[in-house]
Amino acid sequence: MTGRELRLAGLLAVGLLAATVVAPMTVDARPAFEIPVHYATDGDSLDRVDGEEWGRAPPVTVPMSSAGAAVPSADNTTVEQIQVSAARTDDRLYLQVEWADPTNDTSAASVREFADAVAVQLPTDPAERPPIAMGGTDNTVNVWYWSGSGQTQELLAGGPGSTTQFRNGTVATNYTHTDGRWEVVFSRSLSAPGENRTTVPSDRDVDVAFAAWNGSNMERSGQKSTSQWYYLALGPGPEGPPYEAILWAIAGIGIVVTTLVTVQGVRRTGGD
């Protein structure tokens, strides 16, 4: 191989190496319905909406649609998507939920006022997938509910209309409404602090779903936007940017090797 060919091959290798760094930032190879979970040691940072650790947790856009419940105006909902980021420490799970809402509805003082709200739904038994609409009689869900009024509740549900509030809620929240967007951070210990609550596994994936209400649109109860089941990627396996980078690197090396072999073959045969 001549010096010129070596220089060309070197430039090609450098270009492909750069592609392994840039391409994962522009191409999302994440499995459908996966929410990556960032592992962190600084729980104090994750407690805050603007904590630095949240910059390391890749957000996932989750489409929302009307829950279709049998209540008046059930289809009249306005939250079309939310963004979800997830993180964990050795003993605690954190979920940050963001969505656009120009109106900051925090009061429910009268019968015609409703606060904005968002909820997280987890299977009580992480090994099972309950019915998406608030679980079922034999397959319950653990719900974390936050309201713009500042209220946070931890709930148990076994189907629509069966919601029961735990006496001692253990879910902590932090939130802000800035530039027409809500940002709400939920957190709770991985271990279940009592019966009928989800023990969040640290070695396997767990399903999760979301709901949101726009108070100024009179949304409350079953008039809400909901997601499909997603899953928190807590288990072992390939997920996130490191996995994508490895794939791109392997592909780049393969292309370089193929190119070099082709160049060498053409040189030997003289192009015949």
Side-chain angles (χ1 to χ4, degrees):
M1 182 176 290
T2 66
R4 181 182 179 184
E5 290 169 345
L6 285 172
R7 286 193 294 275
L8 289 174
L11 289 173
L12 178 60
V14 170
L16 289 171
L17 180 61
T20 65
V21 175
V22 175
M25 299 179 184
T26 58
V27 179
D28 186 0
R30 184 176 302 127
F33 303 107
E34 178 188 282
I35 299 175
V37 181
H38 168 62
Y39 176 80
T41 57
D42 185 4
D44 292 340
S45 175
L46 294 169
D47 277 329
R48 306 191 309 272
V49 169
D50 60 352
E52 292 180 358
E53 285 291 345
W54 285 116
R56 302 180 177 91
V60 174
T61 298
V62 176
M64 307 286 282
S65 60
S66 168
V71 299
S73 304
D75 293 334
N76 181 16
T77 57
T78 59
V79 181
E80 297 180 349
Q81 66 178 34
I82 60 174
Q83 281 198 320
V84 180
S85 303
R88 53 156 294 208
T89 60
D90 286 338
D91 57 5
R92 204 164 180 84
L93 175 68
Y94 300 82
L95 297 172
Q96 185 179 66
V97 185
E98 302 180 39
W99 72 101
D101 187 344
T103 56
N104 182 358
D105 306 308
T106 59
S107 175
S110 74
V111 295
R112 302 292 293 175
E113 286 185 305
F114 302 96
D116 298 327
V118 68
V120 176
Q121 174 178 282
L122 299 162
T124 303
D125 181 354
E128 300 291 335
R129 171 169 285 190
I132 188 69
M134 303 297 285
T137 306
D138 299 323
N139 205 342
T140 58
V141 293
N142 189 184
V143 177
W144 305 350
Y145 173 86
W146 169 89
S147 165
S149 65
Q151 184 182 44
T152 302
Q153 298 176 344
E154 190 174 9
L155 309 164
L156 175 69
S162 65
T163 303
T164 302
Q165 182 178 353
F166 288 103
R167 288 187 177 180
N168 301 311
T170 57
V171 178
T173 58
N174 192 292
Y175 55 91
T176 183
H177 186 273
T178 307
D179 297 330
R181 289 186 68 82
W182 278 113
E183 295 180 74
V184 180
V185 170
F186 292 90
S187 72
R188 205 210 68 186
S189 62
L190 298 177
S191 59
E195 295 183 355
N196 296 317
R197 285 166 158 142
T198 305
T199 293
V200 181
S202 59
D203 58 353
R204 59 173 294 174
D205 301 339
V206 63
D207 288 326
V208 64
F210 305 91
W213 294 259
N214 181 1
S216 61
N217 192 46
M218 308 289 284
E219 296 176 26
R220 73 281 191 192
S221 185
Q223 185 186 351
K224 59 185 176 182
S225 298
T226 58
S227 73
Q228 298 294 317
W229 280 115
Y230 276 66
Y231 68 92
L232 300 173
L234 290 154
E239 65 247 1
Y243 171 60
E244 296 170 16
I246 291 172
L247 288 181
W248 279 98
I250 293 173
I253 292 171
I255 293 172
V256 169
V257 171
T258 301
T259 302
L260 291 176
V261 170
T262 302
V263 169
Q264 191 70 0
V266 170
R267 184 169 177 269
R268 287 178 177 175
T269 61
D272 295 332

